[in-house]
């Protein structure tokens, strides 16, 4: 296998895959990628299974050097400037990095998390069925913590006969983040309208465990403590200060604050990519609508291989372009009208 050496990195860069499932009843949270759609896009480009382990790169600049053979990589998620030996590496395209070359990634320009997938994957020993890092629980592989300078990852060696590939991009909707109300929305009464009709700011204290929201106080008429019950990715708890917290990938499996709503799974990645200081609004939808959006997202991920084409190849129909009157009526500027 080849080696990927961490040269520089920020505190929010770690190995993440789909997460670990089936053990929340024992107190083990799922963890996994904050934006699974972007993870799937990077992996599909690299020729891996959609939710295989990749490097989840936080908002800060990062650099990796390749050793012991070339690697092929793909980037998706938060946009940032990237280059290999001075040549730009584009988002949603693959690139071959030769032995000894360094991949440098600038700070995120939009969004928070960028996913670096490597053809052939990342070697590690699954912990409860996943390589995903949960630093608070000291879980994950090959390192049970965020990556640090000097770390060395065993990764797949590039199949040098491969063509570089690109993935058709898609525009993320700018609509409000959709939620299903409850399960304790009856604890809030008229405060539900405050929650849905207000604009909220993503707090700088947000992390992989929860995104804190800043805005008007959401009042609990019946008090802010309930008997602890199950929480899921996307649950929106409201503690005593009335400022909601959206539980994210490393959330606890239970909680004693009432949950006013739950972000639908199809919007979790889009919400996770919102930078601190960004403003967000929420829109209530039905369970049936949420399930339908989840199916659409699953179908999109399943269809990703069909969106791949050879990088640099033209997708224009030149015959039709020649037929089209794209310039309108041409005139000579020096002739009399």
């Amino acid at each position: 296998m080849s080696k990927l050496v961490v040269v520089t990195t920020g505190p929010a860069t770690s190995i993440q895959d789909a997460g670990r499932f089936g053990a929340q009843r024992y107190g083990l949270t799922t963890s996994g990628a904050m934006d699974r759609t972007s993870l799937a896009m990077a992996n599909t480009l690299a020729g891996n299974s959609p939710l295989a382990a990749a490097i989840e790169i936080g908002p800060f600049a990062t650099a990796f050097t390749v050793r012991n053979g070339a690697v092929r990589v793909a980037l998706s998620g938060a946009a940032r400037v990237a280059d290999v030996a001075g040549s730009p590496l584009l988002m949603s395209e693959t690139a071959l990095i030769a032995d000894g070359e360094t991949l440098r990634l600038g700070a995120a320009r939009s969004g928070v998390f960028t996913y670096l997938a490597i053809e052939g994957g990342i070697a590690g020993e699954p912990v409860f069925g996943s390589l995903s890092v949960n630093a608070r629980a000291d879980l994950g592989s090959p390192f049970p913590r965020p990556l640090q300078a000097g770390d060395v990852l065993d990764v797949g060696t590039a199949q040098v006969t491969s063509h570089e590939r690109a993935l058709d991009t898609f525009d993320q909707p700018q609509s409000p983040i959709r939620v299903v109300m409850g399960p304790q929305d009856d604890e809030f009464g008229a405060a539900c309208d405050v929650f849905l009709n207000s604009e909220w700011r993503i707090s700088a204290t947000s992390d992989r465990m929860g995104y804190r929201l800043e805005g008007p106080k959401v009042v609990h008429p019946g008090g802010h403590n309930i008997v602890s019950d199950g929480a899921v990715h996307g649950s929106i708890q409201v503690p005593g200060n009335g400022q909601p917290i959206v539980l994210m990938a490393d959330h606890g499996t239970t909680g004693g604050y009432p949950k006013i709503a739950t972000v639908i799974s199809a919007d979790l990645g889009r919400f996770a990519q919102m930078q601190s200081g960004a403003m967000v609004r929420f829109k209530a939808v039905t369970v049936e609508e949420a399930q339908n959006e989840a199916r659409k997202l699953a179908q999109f991920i399943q269809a990703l291989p069909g969106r791949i084409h050879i990088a640099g190849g033209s997708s224009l129909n030149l015959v039709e372009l020649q037929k089209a009157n794209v310039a309108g009526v041409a005139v000579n500027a020096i002739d009399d009208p």
Side-chain angles (χ1 to χ4, degrees):
M1 300 191 78
S2 296
K3 308 285 186 183
L4 197 64
V5 182
V6 181
V7 179
T8 58
T9 189
T13 296
S14 62
I15 305 300
Q16 299 293 336
D17 53 28
R20 47 185 63 87
F21 298 90
Q24 288 196 78
R25 62 187 181 276
Y26 304 121
L28 182 63
T29 191
T30 58
S31 296
M34 293 282 275
D35 180 358
R36 290 177 184 168
T37 303
S38 293
L39 172 70
M41 293 173 70
N43 269 318
T44 300
L45 263 174
N48 305 331
S49 60
L51 299 178
I55 302 175
E56 180 180 85
I57 302 169
F60 306 102
T62 307
F64 304 92
T65 296
V66 172
R67 302 291 184 198
N68 198 38
V71 302
R72 179 166 278 103
V73 302
L75 290 171
S76 187
R80 61 184 76 210
V81 173
D83 74 82
V84 178
S87 297
L89 190 159
L90 301 179
M91 302 294 295
S92 299
E93 291 193 8
T94 60
L96 187 69
I97 306 178
D99 191 344
E101 290 184 333
T102 297
L103 165 64
R104 301 187 185 278
L105 300 134
R109 291 184 164 186
S110 63
V112 180
F113 299 102
T114 302
Y115 293 85
L116 175 65
I118 299 98
E119 180 184 43
I122 299 170
E125 188 67 32
V127 181
F128 297 105
S130 171
L131 300 187
S132 288
V133 170
N134 182 332
R136 285 184 172 87
D138 196 33
L139 295 176
S141 180
F143 302 100
R145 53 164 172 75
L147 293 177
Q148 300 173 358
D151 287 344
V152 180
L153 303 173
D154 290 324
V155 298
T157 301
Q159 302 300 308
V160 295
T161 57
S162 306
H163 292 289
E164 302 308 336
R165 309 194 300 175
L167 186 67
D168 292 332
T169 57
F170 69 104
D171 293 327
Q172 288 275 24
Q174 301 301 311
S175 54
I177 298 297
R178 292 165 293 185
V179 299
V180 172
M181 297 304 291
Q184 285 98 30
D185 54 317
D186 56 344
E187 297 274 342
F188 294 93
C192 288
D193 292 331
V194 174
F195 171 73
L196 291 172
N197 295 326
S198 299
E199 194 170 31
W200 301 92
R201 183 186 304 275
I202 307 293
S203 170
T205 60
S206 300
D207 58 18
R208 281 183 51 89
M209 188 171 185
Y211 277 22
R212 296 177 180 272
L213 305 179
E214 299 171 346
K217 184 174 183 178
V218 177
V219 177
H220 314 70
H224 65 271
N225 287 315
I226 61 171
V227 175
S228 291
D229 66 354
V232 299
H233 193 175
S235 289
I236 304 177
Q237 292 185 327
V238 185
N241 65 2
Q243 301 296 281
I245 303 171
V246 183
L247 302 187
M248 303 303 285
D250 289 346
H251 68 86
T253 56
T254 63
Y257 296 130
K259 294 171 284 296
I260 194 169
T262 304
V263 175
I264 71 171
S265 58
D267 282 1
L268 278 169
R270 182 160 61 96
F271 179 70
Q273 291 287 13
M274 300 187 76
Q275 297 178 332
S276 63
M279 305 302 293
V280 60
R281 300 185 75 95
F282 297 97
K283 175 186 176 182
V285 298
T286 65
V287 171
E288 292 74 21
E289 289 174 305
Q291 291 172 337
N292 186 48
E293 292 303 313
R295 293 187 191 99
K296 287 181 182 178
L297 179 59
Q299 291 166 358
F300 170 80
I301 291 175
Q302 187 176 26
L304 280 173
R307 299 170 64 93
I308 292 175
H309 54 87
I310 301 302
S314 174
S315 59
L316 292 175
N317 185 325
L318 296 181
V319 173
E320 292 302 317
L321 182 61
Q322 288 168 351
K323 292 179 182 177
N325 183 17
V326 294
V329 178
V331 297
N332 188 327
I334 63 175
D335 289 343
D336 292 332

